[in-house]
Amino acid sequence: MRAVWKHRPRPIELLSAPISGSSCPKRPYPAPLRLPAAASVTRIRHPKAATAMARETTAPARRHHKIVALEGGITPIPDLTPAMPEGHTYELALHERTPHADAALIASRVSDANVVITTVCPLSGATLSPVSTPHLRFVAVMASGHDVVDLAACRGRGVVVSNSPGSNVDAVAEHSVGLYFSVRRSIVHTHALTRAGQWPRRGGILASAMYSPGGRLPLPMRDEVVGIIGYGFVGKRIAELCRALGMKRVLVAGRKGGAAVGSPPRVDNGVCRASFGDVVRTATVLFLCLPRVPETMGLIAEAELSAMQPHAVIVNVSRGGIVDEHALVAALKTGKIAGAATDVFLAEPAGPENSVLLAEDTAGLNLVVTPHVAWVSQATTQNYQDTLVGNLKAFLNEQPQNVVS
């Protein structure tokens, strides 16, 4: 079902289902009308949009834009009128969710689009082929990571892809530090034991539940050597927070297999540059905040985990698959490292049926997991919305920004 309203004097918004949990400021236009849950939504923002559609075959090229948003339930789509150049109109098909595994449904929803907006819904090479999406010109990713889009397919046919860099920096960095505390202090593990009634059953003391393998007590922050792999916006913010917390040293890793860093290592704002191998071997807390590309898949695997300090912990807020999940579980079970925390999984959404990290035999490990929510905050949502409008405006004015393909 598609609904089109014509010649409205004020903007009208039609939604397929309520978007709950939004922390966005209220929008200065009428409350949304509600359609049946199965419906997709079309919004026409410009009062002359209906006329523009009727004249589409004779009007100047690319004056009317068919925009499809695949995941309005993750980050609400803002009013896109400010992105439109003078004389341009648009219609928006807004879908609250689009199942990631349903390639046929994804293809059908974007088949007639000039512009596609996605967050984590995959756009494969087949979906992005000229046969499947003959009118597609622009893909806007409302996220920093853009690995869900087949960039080679877009590049091959001249489709521009823009992402939203830096929009979630504070939220992800703060979540990373929260995960560090949770795993270093065994907060989730001891919480579960306490809730299960183990405190009185173990003679009134649970201190041993906080010991690392070999009976090591938790390190204090002043003794932590921080290793950061991925020194972009998020990595830099994590470094700032760790230094502010008084951690002993902050090391930033070079590329795996790259040239060794000279001695003494270069220092920038109190942060030391070191080789990948040195960071892995030296760090007592290792933060991963880098993109998922073919070269970073399995970046931390059995060899790296075996080389780490036995009291080291890992925090992964990058993407699933950068840390080998099977190797990580084995390292935790055998005491090669003290703990791990992750906000990301190789297969998402993750559950016991598709992730070794959530298998029944990992329940007793010092392993903290969150469901890819590190980015969530009021500021992130607003930043994503502002960046989307800015990216679309820049593209329509033939000056694209934040281009990744």
Side-chain angles (χ1 to χ4, degrees):
M1 174 180 178
R2 292 177 64 86
V4 178
W5 290 72
K6 301 181 180 180
H7 303 294
R8 291 286 181 182
R10 298 178 65 195
I12 296 294
E13 181 182 57
L14 307 181
L15 293 180
S16 60
I19 298 176
S20 61
S22 171
S23 57
C24 294
K26 292 183 178 179
R27 301 177 189 171
Y29 40 83
L33 298 177
R34 303 295 179 187
L35 295 180
S40 65
V41 178
T42 302
R43 294 186 295 187
I44 297 178
R45 294 298 187 191
H46 195 285
K48 297 181 180 178
T51 303
M53 285 189 293
R55 297 174 179 173
E56 210 170 19
T57 56
T58 58
R62 300 187 296 274
R63 288 285 184 177
H64 182 70
H65 310 285
K66 296 183 178 180
I67 303 174
V68 176
L70 293 171
E71 297 169 305
I74 297 179
T75 302
I77 305 301
D79 179 9
L80 300 178
T81 304
M84 295 295 120
E86 181 67 28
H88 287 235
T89 58
Y90 77 95
E91 58 183 294
L92 173 64
L94 175 62
H95 304 277
E96 184 175 356
R97 291 290 172 88
T98 300
H100 297 179
D102 195 336
L105 179 61
I106 296 170
S108 68
R109 286 184 171 182
V110 302
S111 61
D112 202 31
N114 308 120
V115 175
V116 173
I117 303 169
T118 187
T119 300
V120 290
C121 185
L123 296 174
S124 67
T127 298
L128 295 167
S129 71
V131 174
S132 297
T133 48
H135 309 294
L136 185 63
R137 299 173 53 233
F138 182 56
V139 175
V141 182
M142 292 185 77
S144 297
H146 46 77
D147 52 293
V148 296
V149 181
D150 189 323
L151 299 183
C154 291
R155 200 174 296 118
R157 57 178 292 202
V159 172
V160 176
V161 182
S162 293
N163 71 333
S164 307
S167 296
N168 59 6
V169 170
D170 287 333
V172 175
E174 290 163 13
H175 194 87
S176 302
V177 174
L179 290 176
Y180 154 74
F181 280 116
S182 294
V183 69
R184 175 58 82 201
R185 300 296 303 173
S186 300
I187 290 173
V188 173
H189 181 49
T190 53
H191 168 84
L193 291 174
T194 306
R195 294 283 298 179
Q198 290 298 312
W199 192 5
R201 293 173 196 163
R202 295 193 183 186
I205 186 167
L206 274 177
S208 61
M210 298 184 66
Y211 293 177
S212 298
R216 300 175 185 85
L217 294 170
L219 286 177
M221 284 188 297
R222 67 186 180 190
D223 291 337
E224 295 281 19
V225 176
V226 178
I228 299 175
I229 301 178
Y231 200 50
F233 292 117
V234 172
K236 288 182 173 66
R237 184 61 179 145
I238 290 174
E240 291 174 357
L241 294 175
C242 290
R243 292 185 63 221
L245 287 168
M247 296 188 185
K248 185 177 179 180
R249 296 174 64 197
V250 178
L251 306 176
V252 174
R255 291 183 179 274
K256 187 176 182 178
V261 176
S263 182
R266 197 176 94 208
V267 178
D268 297 320
N269 298 320
V271 175
C272 298
R273 303 275 181 165
S275 69
F276 179 88
D278 284 346
V279 170
V280 168
R281 287 187 294 270
T282 306
T284 61
V285 51
L286 187 64
F287 291 98
L288 291 105
C289 41
L290 66 161
R292 181 170 65 187
V293 295
E295 294 77 20
T296 62
M297 289 296 289
L299 188 75
I300 302 297
E302 183 179 0
E304 289 73 28
L305 292 163
S306 297
M308 293 182 70
Q309 300 279 343
H311 47 268
V313 297
I314 294 175
V315 177
N316 185 10
V317 290
S318 51
R319 283 290 189 269
I322 291 176
V323 177
D324 184 310
E325 294 179 349
H326 289 275
L328 179 61
V329 170
L332 291 170
K333 287 181 176 179
T334 57
K336 289 181 180 178
I337 60 173
T342 186
D343 185 57
V344 292
F345 299 80
L346 179 60
E348 295 183 1
E353 67 283 352
N354 66 355
S355 176
V356 66
L357 299 178
L358 301 178
E360 186 177 350
D361 63 351
T362 66
L365 300 176
N366 188 18
L367 174 62
V368 178
V369 294
T370 53
H372 206 148
V373 292
W375 61 275
V376 177
S377 76
Q378 291 183 353
T380 300
T381 296
Q382 189 64 60
N383 291 342
Y384 279 156
Q385 292 176 326
D386 292 345
T387 303
L388 171 65
V389 172
N391 284 348
L392 181 57
K393 181 177 182 178
F395 171 76
L396 293 178
N397 283 291
E398 299 183 355
Q399 295 179 329
Q401 64 182 20
N402 299 321
V403 175
V404 294
S405 174

